[in-house]
Amino acid sequence: MTAYEGRNSVCKVERVMGRGMASPGSMIVDRKESHFAMPKIIPSDVKRRARFGAWLFALAQFGYPIIGNIAALAHLENRTLSILFRVVVALYAVAGLYLFRRIRLDPWRLGMLFIWACYLLRLSHDYFVDGIEGADYSMQYFIAGSVLPALALWKSDTFDQSRYAWAGFMTCSLGCAMSLVGDWLGAFGYSELTSTTGRLSTESLNPISLGHLAASGILCGAVLCEASTRRLRALLVFVMAGLLLVLLQTGSKGPAVALIFALAIWAVRRGHLIKILLVSVPIALLLSTFNELPLLSRISGAEEDLSTLERVVLLNDSLQQIVASPWVGSSSVELKSGHYPHNVFVEAAMALGIPLASMFVLIVSRGAMVGWHLIGTRSNLLGMLFVQSLIISVTSGSLYGSTLLWLCLILMFGMRTSLSTKNDRSLGDAAS
């Protein structure tokens, strides 16, 4: 067999031999292997499912800030656009559920289904029986934003790191760029939080959401830099610098901690520690001279941060509520304040009871093991985003709003096909 020339060229198979193979033109040969390696044959249906999954993942997790910015720029009612956006995401996911007919069952994702069913029962009880305000919104948000997209990704059963990273990077960059430019131009109008604290936000988007959006974009960009040309890498770094500026302007400590942890683990597992230090140390020294940046101001005044103190009180009240009803839970919110406790593990025990919360902890722990393995492979994006989602979940997350956590878990558990890993074990091997 003659050697293939060109590392990234792809060609259609003119003729497919063998029983049970697809028709001519329905398979694709990937020539990214070495000159003496056999070409990798990838069904075109797999690529279609990978494209679908990448954009569903990006829209479900990173798409709302774009809608929020549009609402703020046009001075429209945000709740209407938010509901419309969730409906679009849900319909997109339902289309995937219809198109991808096969579903492979495994114990970890079945455990997630059981947790979802019990949580939906709790939200239904809170709304119809206890009359808790906001329980209906939480239920709708959870179904449209997490459950349906996760089920569609489960049925697509395909992960292509390059497609997921590009879709996530472009969506995050667009949302952050709209926020930054709109704030500079004063197009968002009056925002009480921005006017009193200087943190980047709008009436539709809080600074924590924008901070996590910027952090996710940086993680996607870091993955893309690994396999890009020098010119493309320079462009990616330029955009990532803008994302870092958005993160600093939001003044959100949680997203900054999540980004640092995810990049540190990635650097150690992938052997990029020296490179990260060479880049991060000069940046840290430069930023230390700008004390007026909201994030640096909040870090220096952490002992006076009222929001942190309020969350400590909320967490303490939630723990007391768990003690009062440890077996089946009592409510999806802390009853004194009417808010979720900003920690998914505490919320799980409070809403579902300690036994089901223990099951949830076991599922997340298994996800952490899989994520740790994946960060050391060429499918490291999922592991890095999982680290970020885990930190979000324990610092400011809720069960109904932890879309990134649910989507990362559903993708990591049981995947068999990965277009981006040629010499590593498949995601299915990692999760089995």
Side-chain angles (χ1 to χ4, degrees), residues 163-189:
R163 295 182 190 275
Y164 274 70
W166 274 114
F169 184 74
M170 289 188 290
T171 308
C172 292
S173 299
L174 178 58
C176 289
M178 292 175 67
S179 301
L180 199 59
V181 173
D183 181 66
W184 283 347
L185 298 178
F188 290 140

Side-chain angles (χ1 to χ4, degrees), residues 45-209:
D45 176 63
V46 173
K47 289 203 167 189
R48 178 172 61 88
R49 286 185 280 126
R51 284 193 299 267
F52 173 90
W55 285 109
L56 176 60
F57 182 88
L59 289 175
Q61 174 57 33
F62 309 126
Y64 172 71
I66 298 176
I67 302 300
N69 280 318
I70 293 175
L73 290 170
H75 303 290
L76 299 174
E77 206 282 315
N78 174 61
R79 190 172 181 84
T80 303
L81 283 180
S82 174
I83 294 174
L84 180 61
F85 172 73
R86 296 300 170 191
V87 169
V88 171
V89 172
L91 291 176
Y92 188 29
V94 169
L97 291 173
Y98 175 77
L99 292 173
F100 310 132
R101 309 239 172 180
R102 296 180 180 178
I103 189 168
R104 190 180 63 253
L105 303 178
D106 63 84
W108 295 105
R109 291 188 287 193
L110 286 175
M112 291 177 63
L113 280 178
F114 183 68
I115 294 290
W116 292 347
C118 293
Y119 182 58
L120 288 173
L121 285 176
R122 166 56 63 190
L123 291 174
S124 300
H125 183 274
D126 287 352
Y127 178 64
F128 293 107
V129 179
D130 294 338
I132 293 178
E133 185 179 359
D136 56 334
Y137 174 78
S138 299
M139 184 163 42
Q140 295 163 12
Y141 189 103
F142 182 57
I143 294 173
S146 295
V147 174
L148 290 177
L151 290 175
L153 290 177
W154 183 354
K155 291 196 72 175
S156 71
D157 209 25
T158 305
F159 175 75
D160 180 351
Q161 173 154 293
S162 178
R163 295 182 190 275
Y164 274 70
W166 274 114
F169 184 74
M170 289 188 290
T171 308
C172 292
S173 299
L174 178 58
C176 289
M178 292 175 67
S179 301
L180 199 59
V181 173
D183 181 66
W184 283 347
L185 298 178
F188 290 140
Y190 176 78
S191 172
E192 183 178 355
L193 183 61
T194 302
S195 62
T196 56
T197 65
R199 300 173 66 184
L200 177 62
S201 65
T202 71
E203 289 298 321
S204 306
L205 296 171
N206 63 62
I208 297 177
S209 298

Side-chain angles (χ1 to χ4, degrees), residues 25 34 37 41 53 104 122 188 198 207 276 302 355 418 421:
S34 64
I41 300 178
R104 190 180 63 253
R122 166 56 63 190
F188 290 140
I276 291 293
S418 177
T421 53

